[in-house]
Amino acid sequence: MRIERRERVPAALLLAGGVGACLLLLVLGSLLIHSAGAPVAASWLALLKGAFGSRLAISEVLTRSTPLILTGLACAVAFRAQLWNIGAEGQLYAGALMVAALGSGALSLPAWLLLPTLLLAGAAAGGAYLLGPALLKRFLNVDDVVTTLLLNFVMALLVSLLIQGPMHDPLSMGWPQTAPLIDDGMLPRLIVQSRLHAGLLIALACALLVALVEARSSFGLQRRAVGLNAKAARFAGISTTRIAIWTALWSGGLAGLAGAVEVMGLRGYVTGDLSPGFGYTGVIIAMLARLHPGAVPLAAFVVAAVFVGADAMGRAFNVPSYIADVMVALSLFVMLGTSFLLGYRVKK
Amino acid sequence: MSEALSILLTTALWAAVLRIATPLIFAMLGELICERAGIVNLGIEGIMTVGALTAWYCVYAGHGLWTAWLIAALVGALCGLFHGVFSITMAQSQHVTGLGVTLLATGLASFVYRIAVPGKATPPTITAFAPLDLPWLGHPLLAATAPTYLALALVALVAYVLWYTPLGLAIRLVGEHPQGAQAQGINVVAVRYGCLAVGSALMALGGAFLTTAAFNSFVINMVQGRGWMALALVVFGAWRPGLALLGALLYAGFDAYQLRLQTLFPGIPYQIFLMAPYLLAIAAMVPMARKAIGPQALMVPFVKGER
């Protein structure tokens, strides 16, 4: 038995693969729900209702998908150039801290100037945090997976240090959190009496921008060339150092923006639990979107719906909400499996 | 200052060093075996979590400690085989499949734990391994448990197998030059699957040590980056068991020492002490990475007949 690559995939097969993948996920999810001792059909219904059943539910899914779009883009952008940035979580907090430092009264600017300044500062902080690992990789060949991962733990400790020490809000009683942003530093709400904020528009604009840059600009082309074959790219006269630096700023910047937007749109201050792993989920979202920036918002939306819906299901039937993490990770493997089966055929 | 130095002479410190190093030694050995065969296993953090939960649950359900370890190793090996289906058979990016395994395994462990222990009560405890007290093995002052000595023995065993047996030669050849190994009649796919299974079993044991020897309960997210630290140790140890063991002991020594320094210097925020090992690990990787002595076929999928 051996496998060989298909020349082209027929449309009917593609459709069958997609349907099959969804059915498989449905079966696996049902097994999980069943093992938690909950009624399967009613639980799925609760998940759907929790994610899409009302205006509030949908706005909550959109709110949750906002940082995921940005961290998903951050990972997609890095992976396309073979920079294995698994540190979006740390870069997100770097952006959030920068926004909290500048936006809680340190800068007094009119709102139309303050908002872009804060967003840019957050992005810059995230980009700077990825610069170290990127340069270590480029010049000293240090494994980027390990450095970006370890820096997530360093950042978590830095956040804990700052929100308990120098950046602690004296008015927060004992709670470890930073001083809140001034009103001019907060992003406007998109729908009144919901948590949905203008950060969603920023995230979507970023997705559009990244998609355009990747597809149309020479920068995107060069990055892809470096990702496909760094040696050949260097031979063709592309400065891999320049690409490494800009890729780090580009990817880390998007992750930093995720943190900035979470603080400016939602919380108003930084706490240690600002992100429930948005950075790590971003890795999966980038893969589900198959590294296409244009597909990232859709992937982020679906993943956010699973998380929000699973919360509702958990409240209704006592299914542990960790089922969302399991389902999202399973969807990655089901996607990898189907695309393999579609791309290859088995020969006897 | 003399106070800070005198800590180094206490047996409590050295007991702590061994306790902190043991899970890292298991996990580091597991990762080293996988990488020697050409597979980066980023599932390490998740597989450790699954091992921690499995071992804890087996003891909680009334099985013996060593039975729990055996089952944890088997579950770990299954995780490795699952990883292999995607990284070896389907030749997908090892970064993606490994991280996927970590996310799936940690999520699944948390899910299962919540079902096994409903409610938010304090985590149930089990009777953990007691310090070994044998005159010929295990100095009572070091208060080390049997798994710690097992970990040290495994380092020697893995080093011996890798360098002095035909099997070890086959594994290293598969990691360096799979096509060459194939030409020598070595079944590359089988070697890689085998290394992933054995390596992942060891990772799971690293997690099992946490719940059945270091602490006596399971807590969600209890692995806390130890897997990633083990990954750094493999690079630091230049893919050699002995050097990596030295790295694990150095790291554990620093970790145990900083814990005691914290109480000596209450003026310095404790987070600074906790940050230091991570930054040191990154710094320590620099001189090793420059030499680029890792297996040449690391992360390169093997497809029969392709070069």
Side-chain angles (χ1 to χ4, degrees):
Chain A
M1 193 187 83
R2 51 175 301 172
I3 48 175
E4 63 180 40
R5 198 181 280 274
R6 278 181 210 276
E7 293 301 320
R8 46 184 291 277
V9 186
L13 198 62
L14 216 58
L15 188 72
V19 172
C22 290
L23 280 178
L24 180 58
L25 274 174
L26 205 64
V27 170
L28 291 171
S30 301
L31 282 174
L32 288 171
I33 294 170
H34 181 73
S35 64
V40 173
S43 297
W44 282 119
L45 211 63
L47 185 143
L48 279 178
K49 256 176 85 178
F52 307 109
S54 64
R55 255 174 53 124
L56 188 73
I58 295 172
S59 79
E60 195 56 31
V61 171
L62 289 172
T63 310
R64 182 71 82 96
S65 57
T66 300
L68 292 177
I69 294 173
L70 289 166
T71 53
L73 286 173
C75 294
V77 156
F79 295 174
R80 283 169 79 97
Q82 297 283 312
L83 172 65
W84 291 97
N85 174 21
I86 322 294
E89 187 79 2
Q91 293 138 28
L92 181 149
Y93 274 108
L97 282 176
M98 182 58 88
V99 163
L102 295 178
S104 53
L107 280 184
S108 48
L109 297 168
W112 62 270
L113 200 58
L114 184 61
L115 291 179
T117 308
L118 288 181
L119 290 172
L120 277 177
Y129 202 56
L130 181 54
L131 209 50
L135 292 178
L136 278 178
K137 181 191 181 175
R138 171 66 189 85
F139 288 110
L140 298 172
N141 197 25
V142 181
D143 188 63
D144 42 350
V145 171
V146 181
T147 48
T148 52
L149 271 169
L150 292 182
L151 282 180
N152 286 344
F153 293 92
V154 174
M155 180 52 77
L157 288 163
L158 187 66
V159 169
S160 148
L161 191 160
L162 289 176
I163 61 181
Q164 288 176 28
M167 287 177 73
H168 179 244
D169 177 15
L171 298 178
S172 74
M173 315 300 257
W175 296 110
Q177 63 183 51
T178 64
L181 298 192
I182 54 177
D183 285 348
D184 281 349
M186 292 297 284
L187 291 168
R189 289 279 142 104
L190 288 184
I191 304 176
V192 281
Q193 287 184 338
S194 84
R195 305 198 313 145
L196 189 61
H197 54 87
L200 176 69
L201 302 180
I202 295 171
L204 291 174
C206 283
L208 190 66
L209 178 73
V210 172
L212 281 177
V213 168
E214 288 298 306
R216 296 291 163 86
S217 75
S218 65
F219 174 57
L221 182 76
Q222 291 183 356
R223 282 173 15 76
R224 207 142 18 112
V226 171
L228 290 174
N229 189 339
K231 258 187 209 145
R234 214 171 300 149
F235 193 68
I238 297 171
S239 161
T240 45
T241 306
R242 199 173 59 90
I243 295 295
I245 291 172
W246 280 107
T247 299
L249 294 177
W250 194 216
S251 166
L254 286 161
L257 206 52
V261 160
E262 277 300 280
V263 175
M264 293 167 66
L266 218 50
R267 299 283 193 104
Y269 51 83
V270 176
T271 55
D273 60 354
L274 179 74
S275 159
F278 289 138
Y280 298 103
T281 313
V283 176
I284 296 223
I285 288 168
M287 298 320 303
L288 286 177
R290 315 219 66 189
L291 306 190
H292 290 301
V296 164
L298 183 67
F301 182 73
V302 172
V303 168
V306 172
F307 275 105
V308 173
D311 276 345
M313 181 166 80
R315 282 191 299 274
F317 293 108
N318 223 6
V319 179
S321 57
Y322 292 104
I323 192 174
D325 296 280
V326 182
M327 288 298 295
V328 168
L330 277 176
S331 66
L332 173 76
F333 285 109
V334 169
M335 198 263 313
L336 288 178
T338 19
S339 65
F340 173 78
L341 289 176
L342 289 178
Y344 293 82
R345 77 173 104 216
V346 180
K347 273 218 166 161
K348 288 263 162 65
Chain B
M1 203 61 225
S2 65
E3 241 181 307
L5 285 176
S6 67
I7 294 175
L8 287 173
L9 298 174
T10 58
T11 45
L13 178 85
W14 295 103
V17 170
L18 283 179
R19 197 172 55 242
I20 295 168
T22 306
L24 289 172
I25 296 172
F26 278 112
M28 162 276 278
L29 273 182
E31 183 68 35
L32 192 143
I33 293 172
C34 297
E35 293 199 12
R36 271 287 168 192
I39 306 275
V40 165
N41 191 351
L42 294 186
I44 184 165
E45 184 87 1
I47 296 170
M48 285 182 82
T49 311
V50 164
L53 176 75
T54 308
W56 170 83
Y57 187 76
C58 286
V59 180
Y60 182 61
H63 299 287
L65 284 164
W66 289 112
T67 316
W69 267 52
L70 190 68
I71 296 172
L74 283 175
V75 173
L78 282 179
C79 292
L81 294 176
F82 178 79
H83 186 241
V85 169
F86 292 90
S87 62
I88 302 171
T89 303
M90 299 192 189
Q92 304 281 343
S93 155
Q94 293 175 10
H95 284 123
V96 174
T97 54
L99 282 170
V101 168
T102 283
L103 291 166
L104 180 62
T106 35
L108 213 51
S110 308
F111 182 78
V112 170
Y113 177 71
R114 273 277 165 264
I115 292 176
V117 186
K120 286 196 169 66
T122 47
T125 55
I126 54 170
T127 316
F129 278 102
L132 222 55
D133 188 11
L134 296 173
W136 43 274
L137 180 76
H139 197 280
L141 282 178
L142 282 176
T145 55
T148 297
Y149 296 101
L150 177 65
L152 293 172
L154 278 174
V155 173
L157 179 69
V158 170
Y160 174 78
V161 169
L162 277 179
W163 268 274
Y164 296 102
T165 66
L167 174 67
L169 185 66
I171 293 172
R172 286 186 292 137
L173 196 55
V174 163
E176 294 290 339
H177 198 300
Q179 278 74 21
Q182 174 84 21
Q184 297 280 321
I186 296 167
N187 187 339
V188 175
V189 171
V191 169
R192 287 196 164 173
Y193 265 106
C195 286
L196 261 183
V198 172
S200 304
L202 288 177
M203 293 171 188
L205 291 184
F209 181 86
L210 292 176
T211 43
T212 59
F215 313 100
N216 51 10
S217 58
F218 179 83
V219 183
I220 283 170
N221 289 333
M222 77 182 306
V223 178
Q224 282 193 321
R226 287 182 179 87
W228 310 132
M229 192 53 85
L231 202 63
L233 285 174
V234 173
V235 181
F236 171 78
W239 291 268
R240 287 169 175 277
L243 258 185
L245 168 69
L246 186 71
L249 290 174
L250 277 175
Y251 166 81
F254 187 84
D255 205 30
Y257 194 47
Q258 62 85 12
L259 235 117
R260 285 154 180 82
L261 283 184
Q262 274 180 36
T263 51
L264 274 184
F265 300 100
I268 303 173
Y270 70 91
Q271 291 96 341
I272 299 271
F273 291 105
L274 291 178
M275 252 181 238
Y278 296 109
L279 295 173
L280 275 178
I282 293 174
M285 278 168 65
V286 172
M288 294 299 166
R290 277 187 74 169
K291 293 183 202 149
I293 26 192
Q296 291 302 304
L298 199 59
M299 291 184 283
V300 182
F302 174 73
V303 183
K304 233 182 193 168
E306 272 181 29
R307 295 155 54 80

